[in-house]
């Protein structure tokens, strides 16, 4: 016997309810990891400079470390010849001091020796034996990176919630950081339900279809900062599904179930969740994706997505992904990408229900993709979706619409 949609919610109400469920069950957590493993992780707190950078006056060019006054007024016709008393490579030091009439040959990156206040570039010098002719004037500290010129000890280095990319990792390494505190990734598990589903290593017999949603939703969760786990396929059997949900919740933070959410004879997910937890949403007034469930079981959020792939990915992106991103430290609004353009074809929308219309961008226009929610290939064509309010029945050709681009 089927069941009615007893807890159907408007879209905005559903977003608030799901947000409240996540806030009730979870808080962002901190994790200390090695800097070398921190690519694409999100900083948990502000990072401040440990040292001046550079930590010494550093030569920016190959040449000769001199007193700038030894170059004043010089040119090729009137060079100044001074003594070369030592040679410095990057990483080496000397106890010799540069005095007037003396210099030290130096490589790029080496520390400026005591007494010197500039670099005479090798291109404008002529070395012979242990002497060098200075052929061009320089200004004090020319071609020298002064100590602390890039960053001073105690300066703000990186801000909380910055996503660590190669350049930012390089900054941390330059300061000697070995570890860094980041947002801990929530673990999101995905179960696909349905008697018709088979895995990709099984034979495709008549009436069966390959499971799409497990890996698709798992990958989407990963893209929003989570650790994703595909937990396999479960038949539409009450006892088996109940056992699978209970065991899965022992190893994941958030559980996504795909399929079995509607009100048909074989849709048992809602009944299972009613027994082992509390259901807060059974149905959202949207198209596609009406048969959506939100519940709490054992202190963890369980989301039931429709089995149709298009419905599943749209509902996940609109209602679930922002909560996962928040736990992961990502600012989803900052990274959200939208584009406005004119519509190339009409969109007819049912009055009284918010519609998420899949679209592609083509020749500078927005083209609706008119396929049913089970048409998986529409996902490969789609660049994003257009939101049509429940009070609108027709969006006409030429109207400017906002496309929410997929992550």
């Amino acid at each position: 016997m089927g069941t009615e949609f007893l807890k159907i919610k408007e879209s905005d109400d559903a977003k608030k309810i799901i947000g409240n469920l996540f806030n009730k069950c979870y808080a962002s957590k901190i994790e200390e990891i090695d800097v070398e493993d921190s690519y694409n992780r999100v900083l948990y707190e502000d990072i401040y400079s440990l040292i001046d950078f550079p930590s010494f006056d550093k030569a920016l060019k190959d040449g000769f470390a001199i007193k700038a006054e030894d170059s004043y007024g010089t040119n090729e016709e009137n060079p100044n010849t001074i003594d070369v008393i030592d040679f410095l490579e990057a990483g080496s030091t000397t106890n010799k001091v540069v005095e007037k009439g003396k210099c030290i040959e130096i490589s790029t990156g080496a520390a400026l020796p005591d007494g010197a206040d500039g670099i005479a570039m090798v291109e404008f010098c002529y070395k012979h034996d242990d002497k060098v002719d200075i052929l061009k004037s320089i200004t004090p500290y020319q071609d020298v990176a002064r100590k602390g010129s890039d960053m001073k000890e105690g300066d703000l280095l990186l801000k909380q919630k910055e996503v660590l990319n190669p350049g930012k990792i390089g900054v941390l390494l330059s300061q000697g950081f070995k570890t860094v505190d980041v947002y801990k990734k929530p673990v999101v598990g995905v179960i696909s339900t349905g008697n018709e589903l088979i895995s990709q290593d099984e034979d495709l017999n008549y009436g069966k279809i390959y499971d799409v949603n497990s890996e698709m939703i798992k990958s989407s969760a990963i893209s929003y900062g989570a650790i994703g786990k595909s937990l396999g396929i479960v038949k539409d059997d009450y006892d088996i599904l109940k056992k699978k949900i209970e065991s899965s919740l022992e190893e994941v933070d958030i559980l996504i179930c795909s399929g079995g959410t509607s009100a048909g004879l074989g849709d048992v997910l809602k009944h299972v969740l009613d027994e082992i937890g509390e259901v807060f949403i059974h149905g959202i007034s949207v198209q596609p994706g009406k048969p959506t469930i939100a519940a709490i079981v054992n202190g963890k959020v369980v989301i039931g997505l429709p089995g149709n792939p298009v419905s599943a990915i749209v509902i996940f992106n609109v209602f679930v992904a922002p909560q996962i991103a928040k736990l992961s430290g990502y600012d989803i609004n900052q990274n959200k990408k939208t584009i406005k353009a004119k519509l190339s074809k009409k969109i007819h929308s049912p009055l009284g229900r918010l519609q998420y219309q899949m679209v592609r961008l083509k020749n500078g226009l927005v083209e609706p993709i008119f396929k049913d929610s089970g048409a998986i290939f529409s996902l490969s064509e789609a660049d994003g979706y257009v939101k049509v309010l429940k009070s609108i029945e027709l969006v006409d050709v030429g109207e400017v619409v906002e496309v929410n681009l997929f992550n």
Side-chain angles (χ1 to χ4, degrees):
M1 183 177 178
T3 183
E4 296 180 1
F5 290 99
L6 298 178
K7 298 185 179 180
I8 192 165
K9 303 295 180 182
E10 296 295 328
S11 175
D12 288 344
D13 292 335
K15 287 181 181 179
K16 290 178 182 177
I17 290 170
I18 292 172
N20 289 336
L21 296 183
F22 271 81
N23 290 336
K24 179 179 179 180
C25 295
Y26 311 108
S28 295
K29 295 181 180 180
I30 191 172
E31 180 179 23
E32 184 181 28
I33 63 172
D34 291 339
V35 171
E36 62 189 37
D37 298 325
S38 66
Y39 175 72
N40 218 29
R41 297 299 294 271
V42 184
L43 282 177
Y44 193 83
E45 56 192 2
D46 292 344
I47 301 290
Y48 293 88
S49 178
L50 299 176
I51 58 174
D52 290 340
F53 190 84
S55 57
F56 52 84
D57 290 343
K58 181 175 68 173
L60 294 176
K61 299 286 174 59
D62 293 337
F64 297 86
I66 66 172
K67 285 189 173 297
E69 61 183 289
D70 276 336
S71 72
Y72 294 165
T74 61
N75 54 48
E76 292 186 6
E77 288 74 31
N78 185 36
N80 184 26
T81 302
I82 58 179
D83 296 328
V84 180
I85 60 173
D86 206 349
F87 172 72
L88 278 178
E89 294 181 311
S92 63
T93 59
T94 181
N95 57 6
K96 294 183 179 179
V97 178
V98 172
E99 300 173 345
K100 184 172 174 57
K102 297 181 180 181
C103 69
I104 292 177
E105 191 170 0
I106 195 167
S107 295
T108 301
L112 192 70
D114 289 344
D117 64 358
I119 305 296
M121 290 175 57
V122 67
E123 291 89 340
F124 303 110
C125 298
Y126 172 66
K127 186 182 179 185
H128 47 95
D129 299 325
D130 57 354
K131 297 183 181 297
V132 63
D133 294 340
I134 308 299
L135 307 177
K136 186 177 181 180
S137 295
I138 68 166
T139 57
Y141 293 98
Q142 182 170 319
D143 294 317
V144 175
R146 300 303 304 275
K147 177 183 177 181
S149 58
D150 189 15
M151 186 68 61
K152 293 190 180 298
E153 181 181 348
D155 283 353
L156 180 63
L157 200 64
L158 296 171
K159 293 181 179 180
Q160 181 194 34
K161 292 195 174 184
E162 287 196 55
V163 180
L164 291 171
N165 59 24
K168 292 171 184 175
I169 291 171
V171 167
L172 291 172
L173 294 172
S174 75
Q175 289 283 309
F177 284 95
K178 294 181 180 179
T179 62
V180 63
D181 290 337
V182 296
Y183 281 82
K184 188 174 183 179
K185 294 185 174 187
V187 181
V188 177
V190 186
I191 298 172
S192 281
T193 69
N195 294 332
E196 75 281 15
L197 299 179
I198 60 170
S199 63
Q200 278 66 27
D201 58 0
E202 296 181 75
D203 292 333
L204 187 63
N205 295 323
Y206 186 76
K208 300 294 185 180
I209 59 173
Y210 290 120
D211 173 32
V212 170
N213 290 355
S214 287
E215 289 300 323
M216 183 176 69
I217 300 301
K218 168 190 161 184
S219 299
S220 295
I222 291 172
S223 75
Y224 285 98
I227 295 172
K229 288 188 175 184
S230 180
L231 302 175
I233 300 168
V234 178
K235 301 299 183 184
D236 291 319
D237 180 281
Y238 186 95
D239 293 328
I240 295 175
L241 181 58
K242 175 185 172 184
K243 183 177 179 180
K244 181 66 175 179
I245 290 174
E246 290 175 329
S247 63
S248 297
L249 286 172
E250 295 177 0
E251 60 176 297
V252 303
D253 300 312
I254 302 156
L255 184 62
I256 310 292
C257 297
S258 169
T261 62
S262 194
L265 293 174
D267 297 311
V268 298
L269 179 60
K270 197 261 183 184
H271 300 296
V272 170
L273 295 177
D274 269 333
E275 179 186 340
I276 63 176
E278 183 177 0
V279 174
F280 293 85
I281 296 173
H282 185 209
I284 302 176
S285 184
V286 295
Q287 180 179 314
K290 178 183 176 182
T292 297
I293 296 174
I296 290 181
V297 179
N298 297 334
K300 297 180 179 180
V301 174
V302 179
I303 300 292
L305 299 178
N308 285 330
V310 174
S311 300
I313 197 65
V314 168
I315 294 297
F316 178 85
N317 273 276
V318 173
F319 294 93
V320 185
Q323 304 304 323
I324 292 173
K326 180 181 176 183
L327 286 176
S328 304
Y330 285 102
D331 185 344
I332 194 169
N333 292 320
Q334 181 179 347
N335 297 317
K336 185 178 180 181
K337 294 181 179 179
T338 61
I339 188 172
K340 290 184 178 181
K342 292 182 179 180
L343 200 62
S344 66
K345 296 178 181 178
K346 295 179 180 180
I347 298 176
H348 292 276
S349 183
L351 281 174
R353 190 187 298 184
L354 178 65
Q355 180 177 359
Y356 294 100
Q357 174 63 54
M358 304 282 279
V359 297
R360 59 177 160 240
L361 301 175
K362 188 174 181 180
N363 299 323
L365 298 174
V366 178
E367 181 179 297
I369 301 172
F370 297 121
K371 293 183 179 180
D372 66 69
S373 58
I376 184 64
F377 287 105
S378 64
L379 288 175
S380 66
E381 298 176 308
D383 295 305
Y385 62 86
V386 169
K387 184 166 69 172
V388 183
L389 300 179
K390 64 180 183 179
S391 59
I392 297 175
E393 189 173 12
L394 174 68
V395 187
D396 212 345
V397 174
E399 287 193 45
V400 174
V401 295
E402 183 176 72
V403 180
N404 295 272
L405 300 176
F406 285 130
N407 185 32

